[in-house]
Amino acid sequence: MELNSIKPADGAKHAARRVGRGIGSGLGKTAGRGHKGQKSRSGGYHKVGFEGGQMPLQRRLPKRGFKSHLLKFNAEITLTTLSKLGLAEVDLLALKQAGLVPQIAKVVKVIKSGELATAVKLTGIGATAGAKAAIEAAGGSLA
């Protein structure tokens, strides 16, 4: 195979529609645009979302919600994954090295999902009220 011999499969390419090239072409005179009106004129057409002067749907609907761009710095970890980690002392660096939270994370919080049997000491990591109770019940602590 040579670069100069490569061509698309038969029927894969269609010839471009040549409009406004006389009666014999089948698309002469108005060139498939019909008669008169904004859509028939060159350079004349409305912008995206324009509804002929009626208030567009985008502006009729209420504005709602907000997504903080700071969420990408937050991460969470469950009690189950914390117990699987098997470390006595856990901090942000240990979680990043284990691949449990993304490298970009700055704030990590433990959520109560699953069980924790071993005592774990958390440093620089937050926890929900339920998770905090579970950690302390297992003999661990938060710092």
Side-chain angles (χ1 to χ4, degrees):
M1 181 189 287
E2 300 294 328
L3 282 176
N4 61 358
S5 67
I6 296 173
K7 64 176 188 174
D10 290 334
K13 294 283 189 176
H14 300 279
R17 190 170 71 150
R18 296 190 68 211
V19 297
R21 291 292 181 270
I23 304 168
S25 70
L27 287 166
K29 196 183 172 225
T30 54
R33 286 171 173 255
H35 293 278
K36 297 186 181 173
Q38 190 179 22
K39 289 204 254 184
S40 72
R41 319 255 184 234
S42 68
Y45 204 56
H46 58 74
K47 61 186 175 196
V48 175
F50 185 68
E51 296 183 23
Q54 172 177 295
M55 187 61 69
L57 182 69
Q58 177 191 341
R59 291 188 59 198
R60 287 199 302 266
L61 298 175
K63 293 203 281 188
R64 186 171 176 275
F66 158 79
K67 187 168 180 181
S68 173
H69 64 94
L70 298 172
L71 285 175
K72 63 184 174 205
F73 299 113
N74 297 347
E76 55 186 37
I77 184 172
T78 62
L79 289 173
T80 308
T81 50
L82 205 59
S83 63
K84 283 181 185 172
L85 191 60
L87 293 174
E89 290 192 26
V90 178
D91 61 344
L92 186 59
L93 189 65
L95 293 175
K96 285 182 181 179
Q97 286 172 345
L100 296 173
V101 296
Q103 291 294 324
I104 198 170
K106 291 181 181 171
V107 178
V108 176
K109 201 169 201 180
V110 181
I111 57 172
K112 188 183 180 224
S113 176
E115 298 295 321
L116 185 68
T118 57
V120 177
K121 185 185 177 193
L122 300 178
T123 50
I125 295 171
T128 61
K132 187 175 180 181
I135 291 165
E136 288 171 349
S141 64
L142 281 94

